[in-house]
Amino acid sequence: MDITHLVAKRSTCLRRQVGAILVKDKRILATGYNGAPSGIAHCLDIGCLREKKRIPSGERHELCKASHAEQNAIVQAATYGIPIKDSTLFCTNLPCSICIKMIINAGIKTVFYEDGYPDALSEELIKEAGIKLTKIQKNVK
């Protein structure tokens, strides 16, 4: 999880820094952090659309310029031709319902996370898909 937190420091989101790592056979396959797509202005530079519209956390995921860390890790693997089926996802936060759908379709069966995320549909999808979900205690220094 320490590496996941290091990846999260690259985030350009003003609300929450999230990092994700895909691992298989004790090897890091891909990493991701939340931020605007390549070539698009970052919230750090132009402000947060969600803050301007007063959208609560966990609602209206589509009204955000950023891609989530989990999405970016999956896309990074796809871009470089790295198979991630049966890999394990480590993430600083519980994935939202949009990310969980991508995780299910990518064949990721295990997710470790530290902080929750207010998305009841995500938890329903996790149970229905049989994803092994493990909450990790934060390493307080």
Side-chain angles (χ1 to χ4, degrees), residues 107-122:
I108 299 165
K109 305 289 187 209
T110 306
V111 174
F112 290 90
Y113 74 100
E114 282 184 341
D115 289 322
Y117 191 79
D119 188 337
L121 179 56
S122 174

Side-chain angles (χ1 to χ4, degrees), residues 66-86:
S67 295
H68 288 186
E70 307 91 322
Q71 294 168 344
N72 282 326
I74 292 168
V75 168
Q76 183 187 60
T79 298
Y80 293 101
I82 301 167
I84 58 173
K85 185 176 183 202
D86 298 323

